């Protein structure tokens, strides 16, 4: 998780993303019992949200850092990291209200909302349990 926190902060510091917040199963585990997951979901606010290739700068930055894309995710150590751009008021609010937590001394922003709101966000973004996503 430390490597993920470092990368997310580097993306923000380089202005590739304006802000980010971990959500999905990892964020949900702050409010519920631990559950199995196969990926890490990250909401991102990008400088140019209306571009057709809205995530291309993120993938290019990750490639430059030595990380490889695997489908719609980027492999960070053992974790596939999936970037989801903020696309409406609910996802923007989730990023804005995120709290910083420390992961081995590295700051990591995590969605901070009431459990009911978090569950709505997870459902809204198509998380279908155990970290899997529906096809859109």
């Amino acid at each position: 998780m430390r490597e993920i926190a470092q990368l997310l902060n580097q993306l923000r510091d380089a202005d590739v993303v304006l802000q980010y917040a971990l959500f999905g199963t990892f964020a949900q585990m702050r409010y519920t019992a631990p559950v199995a997951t196969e990926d890490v979901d990250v909401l991102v606010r990008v400088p140019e949200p209306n571009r057709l290739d809205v995530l291309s700068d993120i993938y290019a930055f990750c490639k430059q850092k030595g990380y490889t894309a695997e489908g719609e995710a980027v492999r960070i150590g053992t974790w596939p990291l999936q970037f989801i751009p903020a696309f409406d008021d609910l996802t923007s609010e989730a990023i804005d209200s995120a709290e910083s937590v420390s992961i081995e001394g590295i700051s990591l922003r995590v969605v901070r909302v009431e459990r009911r709101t978090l569950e709505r966000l997870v459902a809204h973004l198509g998380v279908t349990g155990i970290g899997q996503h529906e096809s859109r």
Side-chain angles (χ1 to χ4, degrees):
M1 228 25 200
R2 178 182 168 87
E3 192 173 4
I4 290 172
Q6 288 174 322
L7 176 64
L8 292 173
N9 289 321
Q10 289 170 353
L11 282 162
R12 186 189 56 217
D13 294 346
D15 294 324
V16 177
V17 301
L18 301 176
Q19 195 55 275
Y20 73 87
L22 227 60
F23 82 103
T25 303
F26 272 95
Q28 188 172 345
M29 284 190 287
R30 294 182 53 78
Y31 303 96
T32 64
V35 294
T37 186
E38 295 179 6
D39 64 2
V40 178
D41 303 303
V42 181
L43 287 171
V44 292
R45 181 173 294 121
V46 295
E48 298 179 62
N50 296 322
R51 283 178 38 187
L52 183 60
D53 59 346
V54 68
L55 298 176
S56 64
D57 292 343
I58 294 172
Y59 286 103
F61 185 90
C62 291
K63 183 177 181 179
Q64 180 183 23
K65 295 289 183 181
Y67 300 112
T68 57
E70 294 180 359
E72 60 187 24
V74 173
R75 172 75 54 184
I76 312 296
T78 60
W79 291 104
L81 184 62
Q82 183 172 346
F83 296 96
I84 300 171
F87 58 88
D88 62 10
D89 291 343
L90 185 59
T91 54
S92 292
E93 179 184 330
I95 292 172
D96 291 341
S97 66
E99 67 179 323
S100 291
V101 298
S102 180
I103 302 294
E104 299 178 37
I106 305 292
S107 178
L108 179 66
R109 292 179 45 82
V110 179
V111 168
R112 175 183 58 177
V113 291
E114 293 179 355
R115 181 176 175 189
R116 182 174 172 189
T117 305
L118 179 61
E119 288 168 351
R120 281 183 42 225
L121 178 62
V122 168
H124 181 65
L125 292 172
V127 177
T128 58
I130 316 182
Q132 298 298 306
H133 302 275
E134 295 176 353
S135 299
R136 292 195 182 264

